[in-house]
Amino acid sequence: MDKKFKSSCNYCGAEVDEISQRTEQKVTTIYDCKKCRANYCDQCSYVKEDTSDVQLCLRCDSIMEKIS
Ligand SMILES: [Zn+2]
Ligand SMILES: [Zn+2]
């Protein structure tokens, strides 16, 4: 058993350093949406143009926390 927990995106299934099937881009970060209680990668979320440091959930538009 692999003891190290690896978080993966609940939307496209990719982990960090894997290619997201959604955008075919490399996933660099996984975020946690408290509202959806799910993890999403940087490809399955978006950044508002005026607040580039804030990553938003694609589903519910709430601010997500970086977890890996
Ligand atoms: Zn994803
Ligand atoms: Zn959400």
Side-chain angles (χ1 to χ4, degrees), residues 20-66:
S20 170
Q21 290 178 344
R22 219 182 129 258
T23 59
E24 297 187 340
Q25 302 269 327
K26 200 175 188 181
V27 170
T28 58
T29 317
I30 301 286
Y31 296 93
D32 174 48
C33 179
K34 292 249 185 326
K35 205 169 173 182
C36 295
R37 298 176 76 184
N39 299 334
Y40 298 113
C41 69
D42 57 308
Q43 299 301 316
C44 295
S45 53
Y46 68 97
V47 179
K48 265 190 182 174
E49 278 177 39
D50 54 337
T51 54
S52 56
D53 55 331
V54 176
Q55 199 81 11
L56 297 167
C57 177
L58 207 66
R59 277 186 177 166
C60 69
D61 300 320
S62 61
I63 295 167
M64 299 197 292
E65 262 175 44
K66 183 181 173 177

